[in-house]
Amino acid sequence: MNEEIKDSIEEEVPRGEAVSDNIEPTDTMSDAHVKSENDDKKEEGRSIFSKKNSKDKQKMDELEAQAERLSAEKAELNDRFLRLYSEFDNYKKRVSKEKLDLISTASEKVIVSLLPIMDDFERAIAANEKVEDVNAIKEGFTLIYSKLLQMLKKLNVTEIEAIGQVFDTDVHEAVTHFPVEKEEDKGKVIDVTEKGYKLADKVIRYAKVVVGQ
């Protein structure tokens, strides 16, 4: 009976036929596969980390180069600023000195121009002690006055026009107002109590006037 069962089993499963396809994987095979996958992941992680480090290093190098360039530009700008500031400071000092020299020179120029007129006055005073002709004295004073006017003209000093002009606060100073008969004289200068003068376009003394009303 046992032999019949044995023969039956041998008929169903032929001898020498491979049965490996039906064999389930063992624990050893599974561990090896997992280890292989882990190794691949570690290698992939190392590769990504290495690339990231390379990019970070490149970025750091670029930032360091940019920082060095900006530092050099800052040093250059600071140097230029210091030189410009020094030049400007020297310029201010030079201009201040030139202004003082100009004022001093201008005063000297005026005084030197007045000295000949002083000489004329002294000569006229000395001569008038012996002169009895009044007309000669008048003529001498007229000549000295003309010489003074010429000197002022050379210095760019001009008299401010006043009589007959419309009252102008920019050049005139009203001393008083006086009633006038003619309508066209109202608001105009009818008399001058003290002449006014300009140096170039600058008023150095306002004309003191009487205004018609």
Side-chain angles (χ1 to χ4, degrees):
M1 183 67 179
N2 291 334
E3 291 180 359
E4 292 179 358
I5 295 172
K6 184 178 179 181
D7 293 338
S8 175
I9 293 172
E10 288 178 352
E11 289 177 359
E12 291 179 1
V13 181
R15 292 179 181 178
E17 186 175 346
V19 292
S20 59
D21 291 341
N22 297 325
I23 300 174
E24 294 182 359
T26 63
D27 293 340
T28 303
M29 294 175 61
S30 177
D31 291 343
H33 182 70
V34 171
K35 182 179 180 182
S36 176
E37 288 183 351
N38 290 338
D39 291 342
D40 291 342
K41 289 180 179 179
K42 288 180 180 178
E43 187 64 29
E44 184 180 356
R46 291 194 195 97
S47 177
I48 294 172
F49 186 73
S50 177
K51 290 180 181 179
K52 184 178 180 181
N53 284 344
S54 178
K55 290 182 179 179
D56 290 344
K57 187 176 182 304
Q58 183 180 359
K59 189 173 182 180
M60 286 296 297
D61 292 340
E62 291 176 356
L63 290 174
E64 288 178 359
Q66 185 178 7
E68 290 178 0
R69 185 173 65 255
L70 292 174
S71 179
E73 290 178 358
K74 177 185 176 183
E76 182 182 357
L77 290 173
N78 188 53
D79 181 63
R80 288 175 60 186
F81 169 77
L82 290 175
R83 282 189 279 112
L84 287 173
Y85 180 81
S86 178
E87 290 176 3
F88 180 69
D89 189 54
N90 292 333
Y91 168 77
K92 288 197 300 182
K93 291 178 180 178
R94 186 173 65 254
V95 169
S96 298
K97 185 177 182 301
E98 288 176 354
K99 284 183 178 179
L100 291 174
D101 292 341
L102 181 62
I103 293 171
S104 176
T105 304
S107 301
E108 180 182 352
K109 186 177 180 180
V110 173
I111 292 171
V112 170
S113 300
L114 285 172
L115 291 178
I117 299 173
M118 287 290 295
D119 295 337
D120 289 342
F121 271 115
E122 290 175 354
R123 283 192 289 265
I125 292 171
N128 290 339
E129 292 178 355
K130 300 177 182 179
V131 174
E132 295 180 357
D133 188 358
V134 177
N135 290 328
I137 296 173
K138 290 180 179 179
E139 184 179 350
F141 274 106
T142 302
L143 291 173
I144 295 173
Y145 178 71
S146 298
K147 192 171 184 178
L148 179 60
L149 288 178
Q150 290 175 4
M151 184 271 292
L152 292 173
K153 189 175 181 180
K154 288 180 181 179
L155 295 175
N156 206 17
V157 176
T158 55
E159 182 182 336
I160 295 174
E161 295 184 11
I163 294 180
Q165 301 294 317
V166 177
F167 177 72
D168 185 359
T169 55
D170 289 337
V171 292
H172 302 144
E173 180 182 342
V175 177
T176 184
H177 292 76
F178 194 82
V180 291
E181 295 180 357
K182 296 181 179 179
E183 188 68 26
E184 60 268 19
D185 288 339
K186 291 183 178 180
K188 291 183 179 180
V189 176
I190 59 175
D191 194 14
V192 177
T193 60
E194 185 178 87
K195 290 183 178 181
Y197 293 93
K198 284 183 178 181
L199 177 59
D201 292 329
K202 181 181 179 182
V203 177
I204 57 176
R205 190 173 81 176
Y206 288 89
K208 294 182 179 179
V209 299
V210 178
V211 183
Q213 67 175 10

